[in-house]
Amino acid sequence: ARELASSKAALMAASLYAFHPEAILYSSTLSSEDLFTFLATGAILAILIGARKDSLLFFGLGGLLMGVASTVRPVILVTPFVLSAVLLASVTTRRTLKQALLMISCCLAIACPWIIRSSLLAGRFVPMMAGSSMLIFMASRTDWDPTDEGPFYARMEEDKTVRCLSTGDCSNEEMIAADQVVRGKMIENIKARPIPFLADRIYGLRYLLLSSFEHSRNSFSVVIRERNWGLFIQKLARAF
């Protein structure tokens, strides 16, 4: 933020994350969010310094950090391509082309071995991992209530293929087969109810800043939706 705007903007951005209730809560757990945030932020900072100093070294470092971050959360794999497009759209020179290609190459140098391994194992192209169909499948079941934890997970347990992907309690071969089945069900659900699916995804964006990873009646999203401000204050107090 300081590289893009000012010290005040950097302080505000750091404060928003530092005092985010879920950031505080999950900083004490062995989850991937903190490691991914550190690597992704470091990658962006390196690229910003590289752009300011016109340094190929920092562009390469940013690409390497994004490659490492992709082994934690593969969603960042699209970032070097997006940043390269923005860079080349703003100033297209031989120098910026080198910077973009170096950033992408360094990222793929880290990510490609695992992409190749996963793709060979699954028998199709897999960007790092193949569990994404499970998450979209859950979102496509608009007839389920994810905020009511008991029935939601009970329904998941009823389906063997869904249980395999959600728990990982199955062999690699079973997981690959389950992913194909769940992906097909996901597409069927979205085609059957496209408008409710899109509306549910858009509605969920309102909880982007104050959200919770807990699928229960007491999650931040549910508390805000039900305007239970007393419980909201209690959750904030417990988080801090």
Side-chain angles (χ1 to χ4, degrees), residues 22-196:
E22 297 307 315
I24 296 173
L25 178 63
Y26 281 88
S27 64
S28 61
T29 65
L30 291 175
S31 57
S32 60
E33 280 77 11
D34 298 315
L35 177 59
F36 176 78
T37 300
F38 171 75
L39 292 170
T41 304
I44 300 302
L45 176 61
I47 291 166
L48 286 174
I49 294 175
R52 181 165 56 84
K53 294 186 174 182
D54 191 26
S55 170
L56 289 175
L57 176 63
F58 278 98
F59 272 97
L61 176 61
L64 289 174
L65 287 174
M66 281 189 283
V68 175
S70 71
T71 64
V72 182
R73 290 292 180 90
V75 66
I76 201 172
L77 277 176
V78 301
T79 305
F81 297 96
V82 173
L83 292 178
S84 295
V86 172
L87 179 65
L88 293 174
S90 58
V91 181
T92 305
T93 63
R94 185 173 296 180
R95 182 68 174 180
T96 55
L97 182 59
K98 286 182 179 180
Q99 292 169 343
L101 290 176
L102 179 62
M103 177 172 53
I104 293 173
S105 299
C106 288
C107 177
L108 293 180
I110 301 295
C112 274
W114 192 256
I115 292 175
I116 294 171
R117 173 263 178 197
S118 299
S119 299
L120 290 175
L121 185 63
R124 63 179 179 85
F125 176 70
V126 175
M128 305 304 287
M129 60 180 66
S132 59
S133 62
M134 178 65 212
L135 300 176
I136 303 176
F137 168 76
M138 290 192 294
S140 72
R141 291 303 303 260
T142 54
D143 55 319
W144 291 0
D145 182 8
T147 64
D148 197 357
E149 187 177 32
F152 180 78
Y153 285 103
R155 291 189 179 98
M156 289 174 57
E157 288 294 323
E158 293 172 0
D159 192 317
K160 182 179 179 181
T161 55
V162 174
R163 185 170 67 252
C164 173
L165 288 182
S166 62
T167 64
D169 188 19
C170 53
S171 65
N172 286 337
E173 292 75 15
E174 290 175 324
M175 188 170 291
I176 293 168
D179 181 65
Q180 294 174 346
V181 173
V182 171
R183 191 167 64 251
K185 291 180 179 180
M186 171 195 73
I187 294 172
E188 290 178 5
N189 293 338
I190 295 174
K191 285 183 177 179
R193 298 168 59 87
I195 302 302

